[in-house]
Amino acid sequence: MENEKMADRKVTASGKDKDGDITKLCKSGEAWSPRMKADAIRDIENGTHTYYVQQAGTSRVDITVVNGTSGKYLRSTADKSSSNNLDNLPDC
C-alpha cells in the first residue's frame, strides 16, 4: 500500500475509545478503512492523503491534526453543523 497515489478520503464513521477520543477513521467498503489515528495523522502531516466528512445536506469539512496538551489528535474543521463532527459520526 505504500505506493498508493494521494487520495481524498471521505470518512463516514469513527472509532472512539472509552473517553470518547477518536481512535480510527472509517468508510465501509474502502480498502484503507479502518485507518488508525496515528496512521491518519501521519497521512495528513505528510500530505499523503486527505480526509474529510460530508454528511447529506452539509458542506464538506476537512479533518485536521491538532497538537493538544496530551498529544496530537484528529478534528473536523468547525462549521455550522454538528452532524459532520467526528464525535457525532457512527461508530466503526
Side-chain angles (χ1 to χ4, degrees), residues 1 3-4 14 16 19-20 22-24 30-31 37 47 50 55 57 59 65 71 81-82 86:
M1 261 208 247
N3 295 334
E4 276 184 49
S14 59
K16 302 150 194 92
D19 295 323
I22 302 303
T23 59
K24 59 188 171 184
E30 293 290 330
K37 172 181 141 182
T50 57
Q55 301 287 75
S59 58
V65 177
S81 174
S82 62
L86 287 176

Side-chain angles (χ1 to χ4, degrees), residues 53-86:
V53 179
Q54 187 167 20
Q55 301 287 75
T58 67
S59 58
R60 170 192 165 123
V61 292
D62 289 320
I63 297 171
T64 59
V65 177
V66 177
N67 284 307
T69 53
S70 59
K72 294 179 182 180
Y73 65 94
L74 298 166
R75 179 169 66 193
S76 52
T77 308
D79 68 358
K80 294 179 178 130
S81 174
S82 62
S83 68
N84 54 15
N85 292 354
L86 287 176

